[in-house]
Amino acid sequence: MKPFTYARAADADEAIRLAGAGCARYLGGGTNLVDLMRETIEQPAALVDVTGLSDTIEVTADGGLLIGAAARNTAVAEHRAVRTRFPALTRAIVAGASAQIRNMATVGGNILQRTRCAYFYDESGSRCNKRRPGQGCDAIGGFNRMHAILGASAACAATHPSDLCVALAAFDATVHLRSADGGRTLPLTELHRLPGDRPEADTVLKPGELITAVEVPALAARSTYRKVRDRSSYAFALVSVAAALRVEDGVVGDVRIALGGVAPKPWRAWTAEAALRGGPATAGHFRAAAEAELAAAVALRDNAFKIELARRTMTAVLTGLMGDPR
């Protein structure tokens, strides 16, 4: 591991000052960044500890949530307002990692965690454009069962690993950001990038920019999260679905859907949502909308099964929400 300096910031302003012109990395719970440093994939010259940022979880005036970036995943999952108003957020968090990791991981860090592509982690034996631009991507022609079917490029087919981000993307969350230039907010669906020809850039964050909070607007619909994986715990998603559904007199009044495990970013299912709104709330209509969303899917050698798995999971989740009082 490369030597680095360490400083602990008391608040966002101090963190930004300590980070300087973007030469440092912000450290939350460290559950991803420290692993990457051990593997010499990330080698920052300086770390700025941002666990001193706000960790509060507040109910906003409109009934939504404002979650501080330093809030631990366990605290969010167990918060009464989250469990009652946004059960899908709790389910998404609990579906990810182990209890010990959830106790350490922060919301800001969860949002910014990097892919778990095996080729990305194989620093000494594999080519990876995300790790080293221009090197090539061994996943494209290699073992790619876990890789993307939507939004990939010839340069990278890695998937985004976060469960929480899928639920946040479905529910129109916005991310509060701070930098030396001031503050801004950004829809979470616009924070992460598709790889294109620059897969090394995971997000649109500016150098030194810091996540300070995540805001989730009120949701007047039933919601849930389902994760399909190879084993029942401590496994990344093959396909996951976060959804919210409101039905009025048998007609879909509102619907929000996001997919995980299928794309380089949390994948908001805009096409499926547009196909569903104003239509009948039936399993057949749900299936047709899922097919419309997956029409653009492109399979690699080992992951074609994800296309049908995503269709079936979307259909099952929406059908289940018809009778799920939460």
Side-chain angles (χ1 to χ4, degrees):
M1 185 183 290
K2 178 182 176 180
F4 58 89
T5 63
Y6 169 88
R8 182 180 174 89
D11 54 29
D13 289 338
E14 186 178 16
I16 292 165
R17 179 180 60 78
L18 289 170
C23 299
R25 290 295 307 275
Y26 294 122
L27 177 71
T31 57
N32 184 213
L33 178 57
V34 172
D35 281 346
L36 293 171
M37 292 172 65
R38 288 193 185 114
E39 298 294 332
T40 69
I41 296 165
E42 298 256 7
Q43 300 187 61
L47 292 180
V48 177
D49 187 328
V50 292
T51 52
L53 270 63
S54 172
D55 63 356
T56 60
I57 304 167
E58 305 173 17
V59 177
T60 60
D62 71 348
L65 298 170
L66 183 65
I67 304 170
R72 305 289 179 173
N73 284 5
T74 295
V76 177
E78 294 180 349
H79 194 277
R80 181 177 179 83
V82 177
R83 294 173 65 89
T84 56
R85 297 167 187 256
F86 299 90
L89 294 181
T90 292
R91 291 176 179 173
I93 292 170
V94 171
S98 64
Q100 293 90 339
I101 289 177
R102 295 195 298 268
N103 288 343
M104 287 295 297
T106 63
V107 168
N110 186 297
I111 291 171
L112 294 179
Q113 65 181 295
R114 305 200 71 187
T115 184
R116 296 318 198 273
C117 172
Y119 296 101
F120 174 70
Y121 270 81
D122 185 19
E123 198 276 336
S124 61
S126 300
R127 297 177 305 156
C128 174
N129 289 317
K130 184 176 285 292
R131 190 181 63 241
R132 193 170 300 164
Q135 189 178 55
C137 176
D138 280 345
I140 299 294
F143 182 67
N144 42 49
R145 182 172 178 270
M146 298 295 293
H147 287 70
I149 55 173
L150 293 166
S153 73
C156 182
T159 54
H160 191 267
S162 173
D163 292 284
L164 175 59
C165 279
V166 180
L168 292 173
F171 304 149
D172 295 328
T174 57
V175 182
H176 293 233
L177 304 170
R178 290 278 297 279
S179 71
D181 297 327
R184 63 170 176 149
T185 60
L186 192 69
L188 186 127
T189 53
E190 297 177 13
L191 177 68
H192 299 97
R193 292 182 67 258
L194 294 178
D197 60 359
R198 291 189 59 231
E200 74 279 7
D202 293 341
T203 72
V204 299
L205 291 180
K206 303 171 185 176
E209 199 162 29
L210 175 67
I211 295 176
T212 59
V214 178
E215 188 166 359
V216 188
L219 182 67
R222 299 169 179 170
S223 71
T224 194
Y225 180 80
R226 182 176 298 187
K227 180 177 183 178
V228 182
R229 45 191 164 174
D230 285 327
R231 56 184 185 271
S232 60
S233 64
Y234 207 66
F236 294 101
L238 296 169
V239 170
S240 64
V241 176
L245 179 68
R246 187 177 75 246
V247 176
E248 301 163 351
D249 299 323
V251 174
V252 175
D254 191 20
V255 62
R256 322 280 181 85
I257 309 167
L259 307 178
V262 299
K265 61 183 286 185
W267 187 266
R268 183 68 181 262
W270 302 110
T271 299
E273 291 179 13
L276 286 168
R277 288 194 181 95
T282 63
H285 194 48
F286 297 155
R287 170 77 185 192
E291 290 176 348
E293 187 65 46
L294 274 297
V298 176
L300 298 172
R301 185 190 65 195
D302 303 319
N303 68 357
F305 74 96
K306 283 192 175 188
I307 299 174
E308 180 60 20
L309 182 60
R311 290 190 192 111
R312 294 188 182 196
T313 306
M314 289 175 67
T315 303
V317 166
L318 292 169
T319 302
L321 283 172
M322 292 285 292
D324 187 343
R326 292 171 291 178

